[in-house]
Amino acid sequence: MPKNLILLKILFLSLLVSAFSQQDEFIYTGFTGSGNNVSLNGVAVIQESGILQLTNETSRLIGRAFHPRPLRFKNSTVANSFSTVFTFAIVPEYPKLGGHGFAFVLSPTRELAGALPSQYLGLLNSSNNGNATNHIFAVEFDTVQDFEFHDINDNHVGVDIDSLISAKSAATSYYDSGSGEHHPLNLKSGDAIQAWIDYDSIAKAVSVTLSPFSSKPSTPLLSVPFDLLSILEDEMFVGFSASTGLLSSSHYLLGWSFKMNGAAQSLDLSSLPSLPHPRKKDHYLAIIAASLSAISFVILAIAAAVYVFHRIKNAEIIEPWELEYGPRRFSYANLRRATKGFRDSELLGSGGFGKVYRGVLPCSGGEVAVKRISHDSRQGIREFVAEIASIGRLRHRNLVQLQGWCRRGRDLLLVYDYMPNGSLDRFLFSDEKTSPGPPASPRQLLLTWDQRFQILRGVASALLYLHDEWEHVVIHRDVKASNVLLDADLNGRLGDFGLAKLHEHGANPSTTRVVGTLGYLAPELTRTGKATASSDVFAFGALVMEVVCGRRPIEPKASPEELVLVDWVCERWSQGRWPEIVDHRLAGNYNMGEVEVALKVGLLCSHPVAAARPTIREVARYLHGGGTTEVPTVSQPPATGVYEQETASAGEGVGGLVDFVHSKSVIVVEEVVSLAGHG
Ligand SMILES: *[C@@H]1O[C@H](CO)[C@@H](O)[C@H](O)[C@H]1NC(C)=O
Ligand SMILES: *[C@@H]1O[C@H](CO)[C@@H](O)[C@H](O)[C@H]1NC(C)=O
Ligand SMILES: *[C@@H]1O[C@H](CO)[C@@H](O)[C@H](O)[C@H]1NC(C)=O
Ligand SMILES: *[C@@H]1O[C@H](CO)[C@@H](O)[C@H](O)[C@H]1NC(C)=O
Ligand SMILES: *[C@@H]1O[C@H](CO)[C@@H](O)[C@H](O)[C@H]1NC(C)=O
């Protein structure tokens, strides 16, 4: 009898087990309405159409979605086989540059605490990357080449075991059984792509297969022999994690099916929700403009109330240390009167550092530009004012002269010479709506080549003064067209020097800020997080190309080959076709020799390796010199290996909060400086 009982018990148990494993199968065709709700985390949302959007095109996001219940992946000795298929689409912000990708992931938790966005894909961080205690199995669909993780390109699939350095990866392609060939596949195309991931616990191998079509190709893209037993925990969550860096993409999932110990049900592309239509920027802007004008009434009312409150609270504070710099200090009342109470009609522009107003000083009647910066750190302000005191002593005909400052509550006001012609970008990118400024006639908005070359020479002299000729080395940190101002005679004058430092001296250690501007940032900033004379030279190189070509370093509206200005210039230069890239608005009216010198200088300065760039003294000499023969020839940028060495220690300096974006010939770098430890 006991024997029978035991048999019954075994029968009962095995029934239970099979009932249990039957449940380890699910399918989402769209993510609304089904009995299974995915569990969302980070910025992931389910749109009305049923599409799951893991991230949108805002920078530095993490979005995740997991099946709500953990699944049993192994018992003590044996791992289960599993199979999954899903349909995804990646729509990048810029046509050629994605950011950063997503991963299918098995994880002990749904939260993945401490994980970072950007190249970490929301899976790990710089301290736990590669640690066997993670128990993370992931298949990454990566759209940025991170040299730190030995990525092979910016369009690959990799199998990740506890580490973002893939155990094995492959450039994305799919196998077409008709022709028997592998066709390349672009992850960032914005089109729906199907992916199959299978783990065979007997053969102990993971395979990944891709296709733009519904049916599964017979040959996988990637096949990795690996026993998952040590990675898997008994129960694991299964889902997806996506992230963006400074460059970003919308990452979408349209459908997902999964099965333990069997083949996942296939997905029929036609029954899945369809992708949202490509964004129409103008339409989008119109909506924003409309809602802004409605909202601004409300904001104005609130602002009025807040203003009254602040007047009482933020009386002007003078601390003893400020008196040391006495004569340069303006009174708040004077500046308010000068700018007619910071009225919008006096607004010259607004940028990352604050708003700039035109003002007329009541005492002297002199015109000034008043920059108003809000800052939330007393400490930061104190360090900065000390710095301003020294910056205020800088004098050069190609610098915008700082006349003084004023501090009131959290506002820092900087008073500069007034530059009647506004900033250079208004003249270069006439097709764009740029910041408001003093009126300029359309005729005036086109700079001749002579004027352009003169401006470049002027900016080079200003940088030479900052780097080399003054008593201390001053690094500008944010050389770009909108920081070059034009005086009454259209001479170029560099403004905003040292201001980026204020942001680095920020107060709140939990916030991160971008210092510098995409397209102007030198690659080595990723390693050190520290601006140098050489990183200023890099930015100057980008400026030179802008001035010659009349467009921005990264132009989202351009065709993909022309998206990144340096790539485009490099390519045309090496083909000897550089006249094609000179600003067409010049209509051929330029000095060939000078343009050639300028382009050569631009390319030399854009060298990815800091040591290979010329110094600003050399640059100034080339620009003022006799001609193109004096400028060394431009060698091709070195191959990838150099970057690996260069960036091998990335993360030490700035807490690893660094993004890399690799384009054909040059690395465009996004740097995010952690402010921990400052202020
Ligand atoms: C899924 O979500 C819907 C709406 O939020 C809810 O009504 C339904 O009960 C949920 N289903 C499950 C299985 O949690
Ligand atoms: C993207 O998502 C974030 C977080 O949910 C949100 O703050 C932001 O407004 C979104 N951006 C756009 C362009 O929809
Ligand atoms: C647990 O292991 C035994 C033998 O090793 C196997 O027969 C059984 O199917 C496993 N159970 C599960 C749920 O995988
Ligand atoms: C990395 O993540 C772990 C948890 O997985 C966390 O304990 C640790 O603090 C994180 N490290 C950093 C530098 O954020
Ligand atoms: C892995 O993580 C554990 C606990 O988080 C830690 O004690 C150990 O030092 C880490 N090992 C490595 C190689 O980082």
Side-chain angles (χ1 to χ4, degrees):
M1 279 302 168
K3 215 174 188 178
N4 274 351
L5 256 181
I6 288 171
L7 268 178
L8 261 177
K9 229 177 186 172
I10 287 176
L11 191 69
F12 181 67
L13 272 180
S14 60
L15 270 176
L16 253 187
V17 164
S18 67
F20 185 78
S21 51
Q22 290 280 294
Q23 279 189 342
D24 288 346
E25 173 176 16
F26 56 81
I27 180 162
Y28 297 90
T29 48
F31 291 84
T32 44
S34 66
N36 283 321
N37 291 342
V38 281
S39 141
L40 303 178
N41 166 338
V43 301
V45 288
I46 293 169
Q47 299 184 332
E48 261 173 48
S49 62
I51 285 191
L52 170 55
Q53 184 180 31
L54 290 168
T55 71
N56 63 23
E57 287 151 45
T58 302
S59 47
R60 301 191 64 80
L61 300 178
I62 295 178
R64 306 191 188 100
F66 283 95
H67 186 63
R69 289 179 309 280
L71 303 182
R72 177 159 285 275
F73 274 89
K74 69 163 190 188
N75 58 24
S76 51
T77 48
V78 184
N80 288 333
S81 294
F82 61 84
S83 137
T84 188
V85 48
F86 50 88
T87 308
F88 66 91
I90 300 179
V91 182
E93 181 184 13
Y94 300 124
K96 208 173 70 168
L97 302 174
H100 264 254
F102 76 99
F104 168 80
V105 57
L106 304 185
S107 156
T109 68
R110 280 181 301 197
E111 282 74 34
L112 295 161
L116 295 176
S118 307
Q119 69 267 38
Y120 292 96
L121 301 178
L123 297 175
L124 296 168
N125 63 33
S126 51
S127 54
N128 64 9
N129 189 37
N131 196 323
T133 57
N134 292 331
H135 293 283
I136 296 277
F137 168 79
V139 177
E140 62 174 41
F141 296 77
D142 195 339
T143 57
V144 176
Q145 184 170 26
D146 305 305
F147 296 104
E148 196 185 349
F149 300 148
H150 314 301
D151 282 354
I152 51 169
N153 64 13
D154 62 355
N155 186 44
H156 66 271
V157 175
V159 172
D160 296 352
I161 312 284
D162 286 331
S163 169
L164 285 152
I165 299 174
S166 303
K168 193 169 175 190
S169 59
T172 42
S173 69
Y174 70 98
Y175 180 77
D176 177 7
S177 42
S179 64
E181 281 173 4
H182 286 275
H183 296 289
L185 191 59
N186 180 6
L187 290 177
K188 314 181 266 275
S189 64
D191 298 328
I193 295 174
Q194 290 234 91
W196 293 259
I197 297 170
D198 300 280
Y199 177 64
D200 182 336
S201 66
I202 296 165
K204 297 187 177 29
V206 180
S207 69
V208 183
T209 313
L210 293 184
S211 171
F213 309 113
S214 291
S215 62
K216 185 178 179 181
S218 56
T219 305
L221 168 63
L222 202 56
S223 198
V224 186
F226 197 88
D227 186 355
L228 286 183
L229 188 65
S230 61
I231 301 301
L232 296 174
E233 296 199 325
D234 291 359
E235 290 203 330
M236 305 267 284
F237 287 95
V238 55
F240 300 88
S241 175
S243 71
T244 63
L246 276 195
L247 289 182
S248 55
S249 307
S250 287
H251 297 95
Y252 297 105
L253 280 175
L254 313 184
W256 178 25
S257 135
F258 183 95
K259 186 172 165 80
M260 202 71 82
N261 293 320
Q265 256 187 75
S266 59
L267 297 170
D268 179 6
L269 285 187
S270 59
S271 66
L272 299 179
S274 51
L275 279 164
H277 293 294
R279 212 173 12 147
K280 289 225 171 65
K281 265 210 164 138
D282 293 342
H283 177 62
Y284 186 63
L285 284 180
I287 292 175
I288 289 190
S291 35
L292 276 187
S293 58
I295 292 170
S296 55
F297 280 109
V298 180
I299 291 181
L300 277 180
I302 296 173
V306 170
Y307 175 74
V308 173
F309 175 73
H310 266 250
R311 258 197 96 153
I312 301 163
K313 192 176 157 234
N314 277 344
E316 210 168 318
I317 313 155
I318 301 177
E319 292 181 9
W321 52 266
E322 285 179 79
L323 292 173
E324 285 170 44
Y325 317 116
R328 295 190 187 285
R329 203 167 191 286
F330 282 79
S331 87
Y332 183 77
N334 261 349
L335 292 184
R336 202 182 56 204
R337 217 170 315 143
T339 58
K340 303 185 182 160
F342 300 104
R343 207 186 283 171
D344 276 354
S345 62
E346 304 304 300
L347 196 61
L348 293 174
S350 53
F353 293 118
K355 290 184 170 173
V356 187
Y357 298 87
R358 194 186 82 100
V360 180
L361 292 176
C363 36
S364 63
E367 271 187 310
V368 290
V370 180
K371 177 163 273 200
R372 185 178 195 171
I373 302 168
S374 284
H375 201 267
D376 41 10
S377 146
R378 281 189 147 203
Q379 186 71 33
I381 291 259
R382 179 179 181 148
E383 286 166 13
F384 186 60
V385 170
E387 199 160 304
I388 286 195
S390 70
I391 285 175
R393 302 207 321 277
L394 289 164
R395 260 161 231 285
H396 188 274
R397 64 180 185 287
N398 295 109
L399 288 180
V400 180
Q401 185 63 43
L402 178 71
Q403 297 193 5
W405 84 96
C406 163
R407 186 170 76 94
R408 182 169 177 276
R410 287 179 170 172
D411 283 345
L412 181 64
L413 301 164
L414 299 177
V415 183
Y416 291 99
D417 282 354
Y418 176 68
M419 291 292 122
N421 278 311
S423 61
L424 176 61
D425 56 340
R426 295 193 315 128
F427 290 80
L428 289 182
F429 322 125
S430 62
D431 53 326
E432 295 248 349
K433 256 199 112 67
T434 42
S435 47
S441 69
R443 187 187 181 79
Q444 210 185 336
L445 277 172
L446 180 64
L447 293 171
T448 65
W449 172 253
D450 284 348
Q451 287 165 333
R452 293 182 196 214
F453 201 52
Q454 199 51 40
I455 289 166
L456 289 177
R457 285 171 160 170
V459 176
S461 315
L463 276 175
L464 176 58
Y465 173 75
L466 293 177
H467 287 182
D468 238 16
E469 293 181 342
W470 198 54
E471 53 196 82
H472 307 298
V473 177
V474 177
I475 306 300
H476 187 287
R477 292 155 195 266
D478 203 8
V479 176
K480 59 178 171 180
S482 56
N483 278 341
V484 173
L485 293 133
L486 302 180
D487 66 16
D489 304 321
L490 292 174
N491 290 308
R493 293 189 180 218
L494 200 50
D496 266 4
F497 31 94
L499 273 200
K501 202 157 184 184
L502 176 62
H503 270 199
E504 286 179 11
H505 283 279
N508 184 352
S510 67
T511 59
T512 55
R513 283 194 190 131
V514 181
V515 179
T517 306
L518 182 61
Y520 296 92
L521 285 166
E524 74 277 5
L525 282 171
T526 60
R527 191 181 69 238
T528 59
K530 218 176 129 192
T532 60
S534 193
S535 58
D536 272 0
V537 167
F538 185 93
F540 180 75
L543 176 75
V544 170
M545 294 192 202
E546 272 179 289
V547 169
V548 174
C549 307
R551 51 151 283 189
R552 295 174 195 279
I554 292 193
E555 181 59 79
K557 284 194 216 146
S559 68
E561 311 82 66
E562 300 176 8
L563 177 75
V564 178
L565 179 58
V566 188
D567 280 356
W568 188 43
V569 172
C570 225
E571 192 179 303
R572 288 292 188 267
W573 178 266
S574 61
Q575 296 164 343
R577 290 164 62 192
W578 60 265
E580 291 172 21
I581 56 181
V582 179
D583 191 349
H584 58 88
R585 285 174 300 157
L586 290 172
N589 294 319
Y590 53 81
N591 176 321
M592 296 272 279
E594 284 173 357
V595 169
E596 210 171 329
V597 167
L599 281 174
K600 262 173 125 172
V601 165
L603 287 168
L604 285 172
C605 294
S606 303
H607 201 288
V609 176
R613 283 171 222 150
T615 62
I616 195 69
R617 186 171 289 280
E618 287 164 332
V619 167
R621 204 180 64 225
Y622 301 148
L623 291 177
H624 285 95
T628 182
T629 47
E630 277 183 33
V631 188
T633 43
V634 181
S635 59
Q636 283 300 107
T640 308
V642 176
Y643 304 128
E644 279 177 34
Q645 275 181 352
E646 276 245 310
T647 56
S649 58
E652 279 171 13
V654 289
L657 299 177
V658 177
D659 291 349
F660 302 81
V661 179
H662 181 247
S663 74
K664 233 174 343 191
S665 56
V666 146
I667 293 186
V668 182
V669 178
E670 308 173 355
E671 177 210 21
V672 178
V673 175
S674 159
L675 296 176
H678 284 282

